[in-house]
Amino acid sequence: MNNIQLGLRTLGLLALVVLSTAVLVKPELIGGSTLAIGAIPVLAHH
C-alpha cells in the first residue's frame, strides 16, 4: 500500500471517529434521535 492510500484510509477513519463523537454529543445533528444516547446504558450493562 502506498502512502497516498494509507493517508486516505487514515483520514477516512478519523472522519468516522469525529462524526460518531459528534452524534453522541449532539444527537440533534441527525434529527434529534435519542437512539445514540439510549444505546449507551444498554451497552454498558451487558
Side-chain angles (χ1 to χ4, degrees):
M1 184 170 4
N2 63 30
N3 287 338
I4 293 174
Q5 287 176 326
L6 184 61
L8 289 175
R9 284 178 182 243
T10 303
L11 284 176
L13 182 61
L14 183 61
L16 182 65
V17 169
V18 168
L19 182 63
S20 299
T21 303
V23 168
L24 286 173
V25 172
K26 290 186 73 95
E28 61 269 14
L29 291 174
I30 56 169
S33 172
T34 57
L35 178 64
I37 299 298
I40 294 172
V42 173
L43 293 173
H45 291 293
H46 289 282

